[in-house]
Amino acid sequence: MIVRCIANSAVALPAVNIDPRRGFDRSTEFPLTVGRDYPVFAITVFLGSAWYYILNDDGHDWPTSTPSALFDVTDGSLPASWIVGYNRFTVEEQFPLISFPEWADDRGFYERLLDREPNAVQVFTARRREVEEAGL
């Protein structure tokens, strides 16, 4: 899946995505380049809408969740290996996740990736290569 950035400010977000307690208010700026295409590595639902995990412009080598309202979908194809997972953290914190199986089936995968755990990094690197080589 490929998305093209159409805005990089929370001014462009629907009201449902604005939650200052979670760090999102109308002054929030996202590290994105308007007009740039970004491959999507996972999709979730948060604050009432879809969010895409992309490698944004912050320089990190792990994907960050970003509101879908900041993008147009230019290629909606998903890798054949992707599945739907569901993360239940608390009654109020429940999220579907569409991604490669190692992430969708394992609610601790993302935290291990952020912690730079070697196996998680290796898995993400391989899955990133698959997505990028397929042009998805």
Side-chain angles (χ1 to χ4, degrees):
M1 180 173 182
I2 304 293
V3 294
R4 179 167 296 139
C5 180
I6 58 172
N8 58 10
S9 169
V11 172
L13 295 178
V16 70
N17 287 159
I18 303 302
D19 187 345
R21 295 169 298 154
R22 297 193 185 260
F24 302 106
D25 61 28
R26 290 290 177 198
S27 68
T28 302
E29 295 286 326
F30 296 87
L32 301 167
T33 301
V34 174
R36 179 177 170 198
D37 289 347
Y38 295 87
V40 173
F41 298 99
I43 304 165
T44 193
V45 174
F46 180 64
L47 295 177
S49 67
W51 288 55
Y52 303 136
Y53 280 87
I54 62 165
L55 293 169
N56 62 25
D57 300 348
D58 65 7
H60 298 301
D61 57 354
W62 58 82
T64 303
S65 62
T66 309
S68 62
L70 300 177
F71 302 93
D72 282 336
V73 175
T74 59
D75 182 345
S77 304
L78 298 176
S81 64
W82 281 24
I83 63 171
V84 177
Y86 200 81
N87 294 314
R88 288 181 176 89
F89 298 101
T90 68
V91 171
E92 298 300 321
E93 299 281 325
Q94 299 187 36
F95 310 101
L97 183 73
I98 302 168
S99 189
F100 48 87
E102 297 90 344
W103 189 353
D105 278 343
D106 180 357
R107 74 179 215 182
F109 177 84
Y110 188 69
E111 287 74 25
R112 288 193 311 280
L113 181 61
L114 295 179
D115 289 341
R116 313 310 300 144
E117 192 273 330
N119 185 52
V121 171
Q122 181 181 16
V123 167
F124 179 70
T125 300
R127 293 299 190 167
R128 175 182 177 180
R129 191 175 313 115
E130 286 176 6
V131 167
E132 291 174 345
E133 287 175 358
L136 302 175

